[in-house]
Amino acid sequence: MSSSKELKTRRREDYPFMLDYRTRWNDNDMYDHMNNSVYNFLFDSVVNTYLIDHCGLHPPSSSQYALAVHSHADFFASIAYPAVADLCVRVVKLGKSSVTYEVALFEQGVDEVKAVAEFVHVFVERATGRPARDGMTQVMRSGLEKIYTKPASKSSRL
């Protein structure tokens, strides 16, 4: 994952998929901003929305499911009810049975990113709970490739 300094420069245009979320009164905590647990809920929700809408995932009947094995987030600024959040996602690493997403949360009408998360799924066989021996399905891979962003070369970052 990139450094915090680099993550703070993220823009909506860096992400090929976006979903909006209207914050709710109960998303706020006693400090009058959205609670960290809600951010994690939203990161999971935008990823799974993409998988269902664009990658052929149908959780109740799929032979494979996506198991979250890692997540972390860098928080830069707060968001609070009644704001609307823009949840943005891209794939930054695509393996045989795993995928690493970068998810960003922006507030509508504000350019600066509020939080950036890394979220890793491993596709497992429903029958065994073990990583899919043959990897993720081709439909899944094709959908994920549409939002894959190749890492910048070291020379282009200098």
Side-chain angles (χ1 to χ4, degrees):
M1 183 104 179
S2 303
S3 70
S4 285
K5 184 177 179 180
E6 194 176 342
L7 293 175
K8 283 183 182 182
T9 68
R10 294 297 193 256
R11 297 287 175 247
R12 286 171 183 82
E13 300 79 35
D14 296 331
Y15 301 89
F17 182 75
M18 188 171 75
L19 182 70
D20 67 346
Y21 173 77
R22 183 164 302 282
T23 60
R24 304 166 305 160
W25 174 255
N26 67 341
D27 291 337
N28 285 7
D29 60 19
M30 63 189 283
Y31 302 109
D32 198 29
H33 62 74
M34 193 162 68
N35 189 277
N36 288 4
S37 64
V38 177
Y39 285 85
N40 291 319
F41 166 79
L42 295 176
F43 298 149
D44 182 67
S45 293
V46 68
V47 166
N48 280 291
T49 296
Y50 186 81
L51 294 177
I52 291 166
D53 291 351
H54 301 280
C55 299
L57 182 67
H58 186 256
S61 64
S62 296
S63 62
Q64 296 180 358
Y65 63 92
L67 182 65
V69 297
H70 171 82
S71 67
H72 78 266
D74 289 289
F75 298 94
F76 305 118
S78 298
I79 187 172
Y81 173 84
V84 176
D86 290 330
L87 303 167
C88 304
V89 65
R90 66 183 178 179
V91 168
V92 295
K93 185 176 180 186
L94 191 55
K96 180 179 175 182
S97 63
S98 66
V99 58
T100 303
Y101 311 92
E102 184 179 287
V103 184
L105 185 144
F106 296 86
E107 181 178 344
Q108 281 189 359
V110 178
D111 289 336
E112 293 77 26
V113 67
K114 301 289 184 175
V116 178
E118 181 178 75
F119 196 84
V120 179
H121 270 154
V122 172
F123 292 91
V124 299
E125 298 292 344
R126 183 171 302 282
T128 64
R130 302 293 304 155
R133 186 179 342 163
D134 295 327
M136 66 186 78
T137 67
Q138 188 55 47
V139 172
M140 182 67 63
R141 178 170 297 285
S142 294
L144 291 170
E145 287 172 345
K146 291 176 184 172
I147 62 168
Y148 175 67
T149 304
K150 292 182 178 160
S153 68
K154 289 184 180 186
S155 63
S156 68
R157 287 187 260 160
L158 298 177

